[in-house]
């Protein structure tokens, strides 16, 4: 899925939060990184950074877990 970047602020925060969540929840690393990549891209596609952080339900819908 491609997303247009409109603001890169907060993308790294979303990535790190998502990958950390995945690792702590026991999600396999490949899936955790794909979910984190989506979360970072999602934030980068929004104008506001802090308000653009996706909810867990959004990440689950975009990249379901395999474990």
């Amino acid at each position: 899925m491609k997303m247009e970047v409109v603001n890169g602020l907060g993308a790294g925060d979303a990535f790190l939060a998502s990958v950390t969540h995945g690792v702590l929840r026991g999600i396999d690393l490949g899936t955790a990184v794909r979910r984190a990549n989506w979360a970072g891209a999602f934030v980068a596609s929004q104008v506001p950074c802090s308000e653009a952080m996706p909810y867990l339900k959004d990440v689950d819908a975009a990249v379901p877990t395999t474990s």
Side-chain angles (χ1 to χ4, degrees):
M1 169 188 316
K2 290 187 176 189
M3 294 185 187
E4 181 182 345
V5 174
V6 294
N7 182 359
L9 297 175
D13 296 332
F15 181 93
L16 183 58
S18 185
V19 79
T20 302
H21 174 267
V23 169
L24 291 175
R25 296 290 183 221
I27 297 170
D28 69 276
L29 186 58
T31 301
V33 170
R34 282 191 297 279
R35 291 167 59 90
N37 190 56
W38 182 88
F42 179 81
V43 171
S45 72
Q46 310 294 311
V47 173
C49 61
S50 62
E51 297 169 6
M53 297 294 173
Y55 288 96
L56 182 56
K57 65 182 174 87
D58 301 323
V59 178
D60 287 340
V63 186
T65 59
T66 57
S67 60

